[in-house]
Structure formats: C-alpha cells, structure tokens
C-alpha cells in the first residue's frame, strides 16, 4: 500500500534531512557534502516518495 510505503520512507528520510540541516547550520559544510547528501536521499527512497505523492496528487486533481 502506498500509505505504508510513504510511512516507511518518511521514517528514514525526515530524520536524515533534519540531522543534516542541523549539522550544516552548525558546521557550514553543505558545499562539501551536497553530492553525498543527494545520493543518500536517493538511497532512502526520495524518488519513490516523490512518485507516490505525485500520483496521489494527480488522482486528487482528476477527481475534482
């Protein structure tokens, strides 16, 4: 089910994003870590998350 998959991805994605944001505010190493950050987002399922969300939005719009 898409809702279950979104919940699984959220459980990994949001803590990672929040942790990196805090690290970058504190350490200012965003430029050096950006490419690795994007790779980790992909590994955690960002593309799948985006696809599920887009499909849900498209379905919502279709039903309006």
């Amino acid at each position: 089910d898409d809702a279950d998959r979104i919940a699984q991805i959220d459980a990994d994605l949001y803590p990672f994003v929040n942790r990196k944001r805090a690290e970058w505010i504190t350490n200012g190493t965003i430029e050096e870590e950006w490419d690795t950050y994007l790779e980790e987002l992909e590994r955690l399922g960002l593309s799948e998350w985006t696809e599920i969300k887009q499909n849900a939005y498209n379905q919502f719009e279709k039903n309006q």
Side-chain angles (χ1 to χ4, degrees):
D1 186 44
D2 285 342
D4 289 337
R5 186 62 184 137
I6 287 291
Q8 291 170 349
I9 295 170
D10 282 350
D12 294 328
L13 195 65
Y14 283 107
F16 173 70
V17 168
N18 291 332
R19 180 174 53 82
K20 292 309 289 183
R21 183 183 310 140
E23 286 177 16
W24 290 336
I25 289 169
T26 304
N27 302 325
T29 58
I30 191 169
E31 293 295 326
E32 297 85 2
E33 298 179 7
W34 187 251
D35 290 337
T36 304
Y37 174 73
L38 295 178
E39 290 170 5
E40 185 64 10
L41 290 177
E42 276 308 307
R43 191 187 73 73
L44 293 172
L46 180 61
S47 290
E48 182 181 2
W49 183 92
T50 303
E51 182 179 342
I52 292 169
K53 293 283 189 168
Q54 185 64 57
N55 289 340
Y57 177 75
N58 292 347
Q59 187 63 41
F60 170 79
E61 284 293 309
K62 183 178 170 182
N63 293 331
Q64 290 298 309

